Amino acid sequence: MNWKQLLSTKRHRDARYSSPQREQADLRSEFEKDYHRIIGSASFRRLQDKTQVFPLDKSDFIRTRLTHSLEVSSFAKSLGQNIGEQILADRLDPEFTPGMKEDICHILQCAGLIHDIGNPPFGHFGEIAIREWFMRNLPALTYHGETLEEFLDSRMCQDFYHFEGNAQALRLVSKLHFLVDEHGMNLTYALLGSILKYPVSAEEMDPDSEDISRKKMGYYLADREIFEEIQRETGTKGRRHPLSFILEAADDIAYKTADIEDAYVKGFVSYNRLLRELREMEAEMDDTGKEALHPARRLETYYRRGEEKGVPDPEEYAVKNWIVRMQSFLIGCASGGFISHYGAIMEGTYKKDLFAGTGAEKLMELLGDLADRAVFTSEAIFRMEVTEAAILDYLMDRFVSAAIKYDDPAAEPDSIETRMIHFISDNYKSTYHHEARGKGEKERLYLRLLLATDYICGMTDSYAKRLYQELKAMI
């Protein structure tokens, strides 16, 4: 892979109506134009009411998908600056220019903003709930005398059984977000390539693979054409775009440190518990000779500093300052990881994340494990998730049953099913009709099932809850 092709400014729809005078007046790069398209979009604004960890939380401190995405964007840009400067300083690539470094920073800044834009309501549990709904219902629901599982191709079914927010993000920005026409936000291929963390289909993915780029599905069958075009124009050809590694590292830094901070504020993790677990990790790192930082000692140092300053809560002072310091440390480690494996990354043969083998590897593992044990498997979270599943199950029941009969001349939808389809955005229905034109019955049914998930994934947490209550006559 080479940077000139990887940083492709091509879009699915060219700027057919631009005049030379207009181009001269607009000095933004193509990637800076991407940025303004994203932040001005309703899809991006909806992230302010989507779950990061704690759904429908009343606190103005706890992160949402929007604040998380802003943090990822910031970290990704910083990583791009570090890595781009290092490529230039070490002369790792004679064709890499300072202008390319600037482009990388802009692309990563944009990629951070949209990396979670396809996630359904209620965070990652929402993805699980939708996948499990399809596993239960595709073998049970019928279409013209056959179950949906029997009628659809295996690959179509696999898309639903492995429903994935990453694949939905590509679909949303390339098709569903109706800006001018059916091309969605019409973003540059370099940007679209960078958010394709998993350049494989549902049939090619392998959750047990040692190659991180194959662990999840990256695109739907319906979006294969745009996926292949992105791969062709950027020259990735089935390999992960190098910027995807950087985006993933930024995401990991953001959520693993933020989850601990939010968990502390919500009372799931105490200062003493964090200190104890960091000490245990340090002891293990000492035994293996891989210690590169003393996180426990650093936390204690911040606590003593808080006491000396006379702050009201030295523990809170320590945890929050420690988080900021660890983020800086992790940025340095991820930058070093990319440079250390630069050749393999550019060849498309590197299979791990950027923290593997660095001084941050154990710390990242601990932060993720601690959040899982203290927060994600707590009774409070389980209670919320059971409620969320009930909401999503009901919405899926209603919208999918209506979608099956929609646009089927042989079907007779009842009055409720007719009204359910009416609720779906006209933009989404227009996208369906554009994609379904000239397709066979099987493909059209597959696209109608996507129409239902497209609409539900676009909902905010509050809207999903409110619509559920309205449909259940709970108000």
Side-chain angles (χ1 to χ4, degrees):
M1 293 181 283
N2 67 83
W3 285 111
K4 185 175 181 180
Q5 193 171 6
L6 288 166
L7 303 180
S8 171
T9 58
K10 185 174 179 181
R11 304 175 189 273
H12 195 59
R13 174 180 35 77
D14 294 327
R16 293 169 291 182
Y17 308 111
S18 293
S19 64
Q21 294 82 1
R22 183 177 177 182
E23 289 297 318
Q24 291 173 7
D26 190 346
L27 301 180
R28 297 174 299 168
S29 73
E30 291 301 313
F31 307 122
E32 289 173 306
K33 292 176 185 177
D34 281 344
Y35 180 83
H36 292 111
R37 292 181 186 208
I38 293 164
I39 63 170
S41 71
S43 301
F44 178 66
R45 289 195 298 275
R46 288 191 188 102
L47 294 175
Q48 67 186 310
D49 189 15
K50 286 200 172 189
T51 293
Q52 175 61 22
V53 176
F54 302 98
L56 303 172
D57 195 88
K58 299 297 189 292
S59 169
D60 58 3
F61 175 86
I62 300 303
R63 290 166 172 84
T64 65
R65 278 291 164 196
L66 179 63
T67 51
H68 166 71
S69 296
L70 291 170
E71 289 174 338
V72 174
S73 176
S74 176
F75 290 140
K77 183 178 181 180
S78 295
L79 285 165
Q81 289 172 327
N82 286 1
I83 291 168
E85 194 60 40
Q86 201 65 47
I87 294 172
L88 291 169
D90 293 351
R91 299 180 180 177
L92 296 177
D93 191 330
E95 296 183 357
F96 190 82
T97 67
M100 288 178 174
K101 185 192 99 168
E102 293 302 313
D103 286 342
I104 282 174
C105 291
H106 289 308
I107 293 168
L108 287 168
Q109 185 178 30
C110 292
L113 296 179
I114 61 174
H115 79 286
D116 274 349
I117 205 166
N119 279 35
F122 311 125
H124 290 300
F125 183 75
E127 295 174 281
I128 296 171
I130 291 174
R131 282 197 291 267
E132 292 182 347
W133 187 94
F134 279 117
M135 289 177 187
R136 293 192 305 270
N137 287 279
L138 286 190
L141 292 172
T142 60
Y143 179 76
H144 294 186
E146 293 184 80
T147 68
L148 297 188
E149 189 175 57
E150 293 169 339
F151 185 80
L152 297 173
D153 287 345
S154 172
R155 167 66 203 277
M156 296 173 179
C157 293
Q158 292 304 313
D159 276 0
F160 298 116
Y161 293 151
H162 299 287
F163 171 82
E164 176 63 43
N166 290 284
Q168 190 68 26
L170 174 64
R171 181 166 175 77
L172 189 150
V173 299
S174 64
K175 292 182 179 179
L176 300 178
H177 182 88
F178 196 92
L179 186 63
V180 176
D181 52 27
E182 69 276 6
H183 300 307
M185 294 184 189
N186 198 35
L187 302 172
T188 58
Y189 285 155
L191 174 54
L192 294 178
S194 70
I195 66 170
L196 282 168
K197 291 166 56 177
Y198 309 102
V200 292
S201 68
E203 291 184 321
E204 297 167 326
M205 62 171 280
D206 178 8
D208 299 319
S209 174
E210 294 183 358
D211 185 347
I212 58 172
S213 68
R214 306 185 68 85
K215 287 185 174 293
K216 296 181 180 180
M217 171 182 72
Y219 66 97
Y220 298 122
L221 175 63
D223 306 319
R224 182 171 60 187
E225 183 179 339
I226 184 66
F227 167 79
E228 290 176 347
E229 191 167 345
I230 294 165
Q231 294 268 295
R232 183 170 59 254
E233 291 297 329
T234 59
T236 45
K237 298 177 181 177
R239 298 166 292 184
R240 198 184 233 201
H241 195 296
L243 297 188
S244 294
F245 288 98
I246 302 174
L247 174 63
E248 183 174 56
D251 189 20
D252 288 345
I253 294 171
Y255 85 79
K256 288 195 175 181
T257 56
D259 285 355
I260 297 302
E261 185 176 15
D262 287 355
Y264 174 80
V265 171
K266 295 288 290 184
F268 287 89
V269 174
S270 67
Y271 166 85
N272 288 324
R273 179 173 182 178
L274 177 61
L275 179 60
R276 182 180 72 253
E277 300 219 11
L278 289 173
R279 282 173 174 168
E280 292 172 357
M281 184 196 71
E282 277 192 20
E284 292 178 4
M285 293 172 74
D286 283 332
D287 291 341
T288 59
K290 291 184 178 179
E291 185 175 17
L293 185 73
H294 297 283
R297 297 177 213 176
R298 181 79 61 175
L299 181 62
E300 289 179 296
T301 297
Y302 283 124
Y303 179 85
R304 289 194 296 271
R305 186 179 300 173
E307 285 187 314
E308 292 167 2
K309 288 177 174 288
V311 299
D313 190 341
E315 292 185 353
E316 180 181 30
Y317 175 90
V319 171
K320 292 185 176 181
N321 278 276
W322 181 85
I323 291 290
V324 174
R325 177 65 185 88
M326 290 305 104
Q327 288 170 343
S328 177
F329 169 69
L330 294 170
I331 287 173
C333 289
S335 300
F338 189 95
I339 296 301
S340 297
H341 302 287
Y342 183 77
I345 289 172
M346 295 301 289
E347 290 170 3
T349 58
Y350 187 63
K351 299 180 179 181
K352 300 180 180 181
D353 64 44
L354 298 186
F355 299 105
T358 72
E361 185 174 19
K362 290 293 184 183
L363 177 61
M364 291 294 279
E365 290 175 0
L366 172 64
L367 295 179
D369 181 60
L370 177 56
D372 184 63
R373 288 183 283 111
V375 182
F376 298 113
T377 57
S378 66
E379 181 178 341
I381 293 296
F382 282 167
R383 284 181 178 276
M384 286 189 285
E385 288 175 344
V386 170
T387 300
E388 294 157 11
I391 293 172
L392 287 174
D393 283 353
Y394 182 80
L395 295 177
M396 290 290 290
D397 286 342
R398 286 293 194 176
F399 282 104
V400 171
S401 65
I404 290 172
K405 295 182 181 179
Y406 177 62
D407 198 33
D408 177 8
E412 296 182 359
D414 61 31
S415 59
I416 298 300
E417 289 166 338
T418 301
R419 285 159 175 76
M420 296 304 297
I421 288 296
H422 182 76
F423 293 157
I424 297 179
S425 164
D426 288 338
N427 290 345
Y428 289 178
K429 285 184 281 193
S430 295
T431 298
Y432 160 74
H433 287 292
H434 176 80
E435 289 189 289
R437 194 176 302 133
K439 297 291 196 304
E441 191 174 13
K442 188 177 298 186
E443 290 81 3
R444 293 168 70 87
L445 175 60
Y446 163 75
L447 291 171
R448 293 201 296 276
L449 295 178
L450 278 180
L451 173 62
T453 56
D454 288 341
Y455 181 57
I456 291 173
C457 285
M459 295 179 183
T460 62
D461 293 6
S462 294
Y463 180 77
K465 179 182 178 181
R466 185 169 67 252
L467 182 59
Y468 168 79
Q469 291 173 330
E470 289 174 355
L471 295 177
K472 296 277 284 184
M474 296 170 64
I475 57 174

